[in-house]
Amino acid sequence: MSEQTSHEFRAETRKVLNILTHSLYSNREIFLRELISNASDALDKLRFLQSRAQGEAVRDPDLPLEIAITSDKVQNCLTIADTGVGMTREEMIENLGTIAHSGSEAFLKAYAEKGEDGSTKDASNIIGRFGIGFYSVFMVADKVEVTSRSATGDGPACRWTSDGSGTFTIEEAPDQDTIKRGTTVRAFIKDEDKEFLEKYRLEGIIRTHSSFIPFPIMVDGERVNTTPALWREPKFSIKKEQYDEFYKFLTYDSKAPLDVIHLSVDVPVQFNALLFIPDITKDYFGAYREHWGLDLYARRVLIQRENKELIPDYLAFLKGVVDTEDLPLNISRETLQENLVLRKISQTISKQALSHLEKMAKDDPEKYAAFWKLHGKVFKLGYSDFVNRDRITPLLRFNSSALDDADALTSLDDYIARARESQKEIWYVAAPSREAAKVNPHSEVFRRKGLEVLYLYEPVDEFALETLGKYKDFTFKAVEHADGAVLDSFADTDETPKAAPLSNDDMNAFDKLLETIRKVLGEQIKDARVSHRLADSPACLVSPDDAVTSSMERLMRVMQKDDSIPQKIFEINRDHPLLRTMLKISKADPDDPQLSDMIQNLFDTTLLLDGYVKDPHELASRATKLLEQASAWYADVKKL
Ligand code: ADP
Ligand code: MG
């Protein structure tokens, strides 16, 4: 017979335990939610085993599937017993002694993230998601005993014991003959937490957090939860409160969902789905990368949580359940990938979700804007869905030069409605912010001519528009690639007076200045030329290659870890006062050292606007020198 053995918790387990036991005073009651949901998971797994066609033999097949809770005020002991799959000795060591490393890491990260108001997040909302729920029992208990008998293994029933401070022991349970299939958790409640031994308190917690558990929960012999599988109920019979409650149960979110999509479909496959659009944003590219997908049921038997075959990644923000009659119950979780039934369900859900969003965009634009702000980042990945592209494109939203502020949004159709008569292009500029987009030198001519420019703040926007190529009869085009002749065909709408035209002599002198510029900048540029696109800026950089925009090029360089500075064409604004002064200096002496300093500094600041910094020290010291001279001259002129 195996003897008692002692084990230490892993380092991450201790860190998590520390957070759980020391920073969650107000929410201690969620420990019960976690123990019940573990019991429910174990029952789901058992039902799954039982439902397979050949029926893998399970121990005690006639035991009812339920969760029994009893409290003993003499011993201060709360007992949560289930008739689920149970655990073998090895499984107990593995599952209760270690937190899956990735799970605890993700938890610690999500916990450390600050909420919107800058406060540390309430961990009770994230506990259940990262495989650390069990440990929350140590918030209220100073000793926990878990006795378990596996439904399939033949080993003896074992008992796991710990006070949650750093070690646990495991031994063969006494009275082997009386222990049936399943797991019994005995929590010895701390003196200050005796409320959790009161029946009314336990019932209250179960109603708040666990009313949708699909197995009977008995407290001292009486059933507490009676709610049916909501997704199978007819739509009209369900109240908003029930949806909200189910959503909170499913996601642990404290906020009601933004919207509900309840589907009952018969062709091409039969399924019911209850889907929610959450009213909070999750980082599906970071901490929540693995935490998306829908819970898949076959005839009410849970087959898999967070199944990712049921929705395309651009709908990753959707939460909910799918229940189908068309999946054989004996399907193994491993063969779900590439399953035809799931593919058909996924196609139907995509279509239905798009219809729902189209309707929202049309009937309730404010709500749609809220949706876009929450989930647009994920949803816009839909541009890569060839089948539904024509429906997704009109649902995209952008900020633009025609809108009042950075929060306002426009659709492509609204852009087109505002377009000028002969306009054939939808122009865009990629920039990290509205301010940056506004000062982008390439967009100046558009402002002068009153032409609308879409502002793209995320790299994926540019990929999306380039991939789409066209919308209706309009071609997407970056402002820096705009055709000069096309732009010239639009009259200026800006009334600000322009600089006086240059005389023929000065035109020639300007060519000399260009030569000086080429000489001073040498290898730093590909060429220098007069610009026709600038209004307010003295200069800008243009890619010699029209294939990519400067923002794309920058992104590609980051990906290729290339930190060199690309050679571009330096375009200068002949009408800018700075260039007019430089022309004067150049006419008097093209080799004036002051002039070459100015040229170099002008180039460096232009480079900066293009997203590159060459040598900040050199730039700063040259700027200081010019400032020093300018201030001395200023004092002279002012006779100070
Ligand atoms: P999670 O439930 O997210 O996996 P927990 O910390 O709540 O994380 O539980 C850890 C693991 O312990 C579970 O995944 C499961 O394998 C095992 N476990 C916990 N409670 C039970 C139970 N009542 N019956 C069977 N296994 C259990
Ligand atoms: Mg759990």
Side-chain angles (χ1 to χ4, degrees):
M1 285 285 113
S2 63
E3 68 227 68
Q4 187 187 54
T5 52
S6 254
H7 306 257
E8 290 219 9
F9 286 121
R10 281 214 207 140
E12 314 86 58
T13 312
R14 281 200 208 208
K15 246 195 254 172
V16 171
L17 270 169
N18 206 33
I19 291 178
L20 291 180
T21 44
H22 292 103
S23 36
L24 279 173
Y25 301 107
S26 56
N27 255 309
R28 293 188 318 269
E29 66 178 42
I30 59 105
F31 85 92
L32 189 61
R33 173 189 80 188
E34 295 304 325
L35 294 183
I36 290 176
S37 86
N38 284 351
S40 174
D41 287 347
L43 289 162
D44 270 325
K45 286 177 195 159
L46 186 93
R47 191 152 68 172
F48 181 76
L49 285 181
Q50 271 181 335
S51 66
R52 302 178 67 140
Q54 289 81 17
E56 265 172 56
V58 297
R59 193 186 288 269
D60 307 319
D62 300 326
L63 272 188
L65 302 186
E66 65 177 28
I67 301 164
I69 298 173
T70 46
S71 67
D72 172 348
K73 289 189 186 163
V74 179
Q75 291 197 65
N76 288 342
C77 178
L78 182 68
T79 303
I80 295 97
D82 66 68
T83 51
V85 278
M87 287 175 275
T88 62
R89 179 193 172 92
E90 287 65 39
E91 284 168 340
M92 282 174 112
I93 295 175
E94 182 60 30
N95 299 339
L96 303 181
T98 56
I99 297 177
H101 182 73
S102 59
S104 58
E105 208 175 36
F107 170 79
L108 291 169
K109 194 158 165 259
Y111 181 73
E113 276 169 13
K114 302 282 183 222
E116 273 169 24
D117 55 356
S119 63
T120 305
K121 275 211 204 102
D122 179 357
S124 65
N125 284 332
I126 47 179
I127 286 172
R129 274 184 229 142
F130 297 111
I132 56 167
F134 172 73
Y135 299 92
S136 61
V137 66
F138 289 109
M139 294 191 288
V140 300
D142 43 26
K143 181 179 152 194
V144 177
E145 256 178 42
V146 183
T147 307
S148 195
R149 186 185 287 285
S150 166
T152 50
D154 346 298
C158 285
R159 186 162 73 187
W160 179 102
T161 312
S162 177
D163 63 3
S165 62
T167 57
F168 62 89
T169 59
I170 190 149
E171 66 200 307
E172 213 165 278
D175 304 324
Q176 285 288 329
D177 299 343
T178 62
I179 303 173
K180 294 220 163 15
R181 180 194 76 211
T183 302
T184 300
V185 177
R186 297 199 340 131
F188 293 88
I189 302 295
K190 294 177 188 170
D191 280 344
E192 62 269 34
D193 292 310
K194 287 218 180 103
E195 57 183 295
F196 297 117
L197 294 167
E198 300 296 339
K199 190 175 179 200
Y200 80 92
R201 184 80 171 93
L202 297 169
E203 286 176 349
I205 301 171
I206 293 167
R207 271 192 213 101
T208 312
H209 298 292
S210 308
S211 52
F212 292 98
I213 292 288
F215 302 96
I217 303 174
M218 320 292 285
V219 176
D220 292 341
E222 263 178 72
R223 180 159 185 181
V224 180
N225 64 324
T226 50
T227 319
L230 203 61
W231 60 89
R232 289 207 162 216
E233 300 292 300
K235 249 193 249 188
F236 61 85
S237 70
I238 305 175
K239 295 196 201 68
K240 180 180 182 304
E241 293 73 48
Q242 285 173 288
Y243 280 134
D244 290 355
E245 223 180 286
F246 181 73
Y247 168 79
K248 289 179 187 173
F249 161 75
L250 193 74
T251 59
Y252 299 131
D253 286 345
S254 45
K255 230 171 158 190
L258 183 75
D259 222 334
V260 185
I261 308 176
H262 192 165
L263 306 175
S264 176
V265 175
D266 288 317
V267 272
V269 278
Q270 190 287 331
F271 73 94
N272 290 341
L274 186 48
L275 311 174
F276 298 94
I277 301 176
D279 196 6
I280 52 168
T281 301
K282 295 267 166 64
D283 181 7
Y284 293 108
F285 304 106
Y288 290 84
R289 199 171 20 221
E290 294 301 321
H291 292 277
W292 63 277
L294 304 176
D295 293 350
L296 173 65
Y297 289 78
R299 290 168 231 192
R300 290 183 211 218
V301 177
L302 179 67
I303 304 291
Q304 193 185 38
R305 284 202 200 286
E306 296 183 333
N307 178 293
K308 296 178 179 55
E309 309 286 315
L310 288 168
I311 39 173
D313 57 359
Y314 65 89
L315 296 179
F317 54 86
L318 284 179
K319 299 279 164 197
V321 303
V322 170
D323 192 348
T324 176
E325 306 266 333
D326 287 349
L327 214 55
L329 276 175
N330 63 357
I331 187 152
S332 82
R333 290 168 205 214
E334 295 70 42
T335 58
L336 285 173
Q337 274 184 14
E338 305 288 311
N339 180 290
L340 194 64
V341 173
L342 297 199
R343 191 147 1 117
K344 282 187 182 151
I345 294 178
S346 167
Q347 283 161 1
T348 310
I349 288 180
S350 303
K351 294 217 154 49
Q352 297 277 356
L354 289 176
S355 304
H356 191 89
L357 291 171
E358 282 162 355
K359 197 164 165 347
M360 193 200 286
K362 187 160 158 277
D363 300 346
D364 193 347
E366 247 168 65
K367 193 173 191 177
Y368 188 78
F371 157 77
W372 184 262
K373 276 175 195 145
L374 290 162
H375 307 299
K377 218 179 173 141
V378 172
F379 180 65
K380 66 174 69 152
L381 296 177
Y383 78 86
S384 57
D385 177 351
F386 293 97
V387 180
N388 293 306
R389 181 175 279 179
D390 290 348
R391 298 182 65 189
I392 291 168
T393 314
L395 288 169
L396 299 176
R397 293 293 180 269
F398 303 89
N399 191 225
S400 96
S401 62
L403 304 172
D404 292 336
D405 59 63
D407 276 337
L409 294 169
T410 179
S411 65
L412 294 173
D413 287 305
D414 287 344
Y415 178 104
I416 288 174
R418 286 187 295 264
R420 300 270 279 278
E421 206 166 317
S422 56
Q423 192 175 333
K424 290 272 178 296
E425 274 125 351
I426 296 178
W427 284 293
Y428 64 85
V429 59
S433 67
R434 189 171 166 90
E435 285 64 42
K438 276 182 166 171
V439 300
N440 183 304
H442 298 286
S443 55
E444 284 175 5
V445 56
F446 291 85
R447 189 160 56 241
R448 198 170 68 220
K449 295 181 179 291
L451 295 167
E452 182 171 358
V453 175
L454 296 180
Y455 293 161
L456 312 187
Y457 300 137
E458 285 164 16
V460 54
D461 295 329
E462 230 186 319
F463 279 110
L465 295 195
E466 287 201 358
T467 309
L468 295 173
K470 249 171 128 66
Y471 180 62
K472 298 197 169 158
D473 290 333
F474 289 72
T475 309
F476 294 112
K477 197 148 205 145
V479 290
E480 61 198 89
H481 294 161
D483 184 334
V486 170
L487 292 178
D488 284 345
S489 71
F490 297 99
D492 285 9
T493 53
D494 190 345
E495 305 289 305
T496 6
K498 284 204 199 142
L502 290 178
S503 67
N504 277 348
D505 265 5
D506 279 349
M507 288 281 208
N508 292 336
F510 207 91
D511 288 342
K512 267 244 170 58
L513 175 59
L514 276 176
E515 252 162 56
T516 311
I517 290 175
R518 287 188 198 107
K519 208 166 72 202
V520 170
L521 296 179
E523 292 288 296
Q524 302 176 82
I525 57 169
K526 193 135 208 140
D527 195 11
R529 69 182 180 211
V530 172
S531 177
H532 297 288
R533 64 179 98 216
L534 295 173
D536 307 327
S537 298
C540 70
L541 287 165
V542 184
S543 279
D545 172 11
D546 252 11
V548 288
T549 61
S550 54
S551 56
M552 278 282 202
E553 182 174 20
R554 221 155 42 232
L555 199 72
M556 283 171 350
R557 281 169 177 271
V558 170
M559 291 193 297
Q560 293 160 1
K561 299 199 165 52
D562 177 356
D563 57 6
S564 66
I565 296 171
Q567 249 189 359
K568 294 193 177 183
I569 296 164
F570 189 46
E571 279 197 2
I572 47 179
N573 179 357
R574 205 162 42 188
D575 293 340
H576 194 279
L578 174 59
L579 271 299
R580 292 286 169 105
T581 312
M582 284 164 80
L583 178 63
K584 240 187 237 171
I585 302 172
S586 161
K587 271 163 68 181
D589 174 9
D591 298 323
D592 191 327
Q594 189 71 27
L595 186 61
S596 49
D597 265 5
M598 286 176 174
I599 291 171
Q600 186 61 50
N601 232 52
L602 178 59
F603 173 73
D604 285 352
T605 44
T606 312
L607 200 58
L608 209 53
L609 273 185
D610 208 41
Y612 298 93
V613 192
K614 200 177 55 185
D615 179 352
H617 299 286
E618 209 185 295
L619 172 70
S621 75
R622 212 177 314 100
T624 311
K625 193 174 131 203
L626 288 172
L627 200 58
E628 192 186 310
Q629 293 167 336
S631 59
W633 292 324
Y634 183 77
D636 264 0
V637 170
K638 284 257 180 177
K639 302 198 179 18
L640 300 175

